[in-house]
Amino acid sequence: RQGKGQGHPGTRQGHLQLSPAPGRPHGFIRARLVIPPALEESAVAAFWDSGCLGVQVLAAGRDRRLTLDAYFSGQADRRRLDARLRRALRQAGLGEGTRPRLSAAPARRWVESWQRTLRPMAIGPFLVVPEGCRAPAPGGREILKVRFGQAFGTGEHATTRLVLRLLRPHLRSGKRVVDLGTGSGILAMAACRLGAARVVAADHDAVALDVARANLADNGLTGRVEMHRADASRACRLGPFDLALVNIGASTIETILPDLAGALAPEGRAILAGLLVDDEERLLHAAARSGLVLLERRRSRPWSALVLRRR
């Protein structure tokens, strides 16, 4: 998994339709794992590689740990599933003793239940309206309609919220923007709403790009965003850009910093998210080596967002 919007589908929002197949009345097996946020990417990848049907990631509590619930067919052999999961988690680097707790989960329409809990969300200058919700009067905010799909970015997660709140202070009308690892396309749409002259959205996941195109159509923005199936480094070559939106995880960000710096126009800026507070100093040192300096940082623990400027 390269990062949010660039990896395994269905993560965090539980977008997959968890309904038992015909002839399978026994619901699901739920594998629950409690981990530090830094291990989330590896654990989710291990669950998908083990054949799960969907993953739900619950927000960190006071102890800053995440609870991951992965769902498997109710007819799976528990002993074999347990062994397979322990092996996958060990290979993903989570340690020899990492063992999820398996339990029975009843057959329910999980997605519909989740959808009933959703409401429009006021985030900075935007009003994010999830699929199935009626859009209220905007009240001076820019409306972003977001449908569900196998792509990250519905406005619920803190990393997306941090970027949306930082957009207006750092994006002036008429500027050029790239959204790396676009996922649902929510950040690219937000840049359009704030008057960006050129918006490029890139993701190496074809499914995510399909979701993003559908969201663009729902928001009347078809044709306003250049869509590219490409990884982050290759998408940087489409510059120069005045602003880069990079919500794809600390490890990926660190590897692309030289390409990112080269893609920015003089005085260009980058908003980095999908990283933990504990990742800040390491990334700032790496950014300085690429000629990027810190302008602003915001936190929603355990998550952080950094705004960098090209020297």
Side-chain angles (χ1 to χ4, degrees):
R1 174 176 162 92
Q2 270 204 1
K4 296 166 185 62
Q6 292 202 19
H8 295 276
T11 305
R12 216 185 297 273
Q13 281 85 15
H15 291 135
L16 299 185
Q17 178 66 52
L18 292 180
S19 298
R24 293 184 180 179
H26 302 297
F28 306 96
I29 297 174
R30 178 178 60 202
R32 173 164 290 182
L33 186 65
V34 180
I35 56 170
L39 297 179
E40 177 191 356
E41 301 287 337
S42 298
V44 169
F47 280 140
W48 284 108
D49 291 342
S50 300
C52 79
L53 304 173
V55 182
Q56 181 183 25
V57 183
L58 305 178
R62 291 182 179 179
D63 60 354
R64 299 181 190 173
R65 294 172 72 82
L66 298 175
T67 298
L68 275 62
D69 285 339
Y71 293 88
F72 297 83
S73 166
Q75 290 190 329
D77 182 282
R78 284 204 188 192
R79 185 178 300 175
R80 292 181 180 177
L81 176 60
D82 180 66
R84 187 166 74 243
L85 286 172
R86 292 172 66 184
R87 182 170 57 253
L89 291 166
R90 184 176 64 251
Q91 291 173 347
L94 272 76
E96 185 70 32
T98 304
R99 185 173 186 174
R101 187 171 76 251
L102 303 184
S103 61
R108 292 174 50 196
R109 289 191 168 273
W110 298 98
V111 173
E112 286 85 344
S113 299
W114 171 60
Q115 287 176 341
R116 285 195 292 270
T117 69
L118 296 178
R119 299 290 183 272
M121 297 168 280
I123 307 173
F126 305 101
L127 182 66
V128 179
V129 181
E131 180 182 5
C133 294
R134 180 176 298 177
R141 285 187 164 91
E142 300 288 345
I143 290 181
L144 299 174
K145 300 176 183 177
V146 183
R147 65 170 64 187
F148 307 121
Q150 295 176 13
F152 179 83
T154 61
E156 294 180 282
H157 197 267
T159 59
T160 308
R161 290 171 173 264
L162 286 168
V163 180
L164 289 173
R165 291 189 178 109
L166 284 165
L167 263 177
R168 176 161 281 172
H170 297 283
L171 175 58
R172 295 194 300 274
S173 179
K175 296 300 182 179
R176 300 159 294 182
V177 178
V178 63
D179 179 15
L180 301 177
T182 193
S184 70
I186 187 172
L187 300 181
M189 295 190 299
C192 289
R193 291 282 192 244
L194 293 183
R198 181 192 181 202
V199 180
V200 173
D203 204 299
H204 79 260
D205 185 351
V207 174
L209 291 175
D210 287 342
V211 174
R213 290 188 184 96
N215 281 323
L216 289 169
D218 291 344
N219 286 271
L221 295 173
T222 299
R224 289 283 308 279
V225 177
E226 301 174 32
M227 306 294 292
H228 294 270
R229 187 176 183 183
D231 62 26
S233 293
R234 189 150 53 94
C236 284
R237 302 172 197 165
L238 302 170
F241 300 103
D242 303 294
L243 179 65
L245 309 176
V246 194
N247 184 19
I248 56 178
S251 58
T252 302
I253 290 173
E254 187 172 12
T255 63
I256 68 166
L257 279 171
D259 295 315
L260 181 61
L264 294 178
E267 302 295 316
R269 301 180 180 190
I271 301 176
L272 311 182
L275 55 115
L276 299 167
V277 171
D278 293 343
D279 297 321
E280 288 180 352
E281 295 310 312
R282 172 170 57 90
L283 283 178
L284 288 174
H285 284 302
R289 293 194 295 269
S290 295
L292 299 170
V293 296
L294 179 67
L295 279 182
E296 183 179 354
R297 77 177 89 198
R298 292 196 188 185
R299 292 170 172 172
S300 179
R301 286 188 178 275
W303 304 101
S304 172
L306 304 174
V307 183
L308 306 181
R309 176 177 58 82
R310 179 180 170 184
R311 287 199 189 105

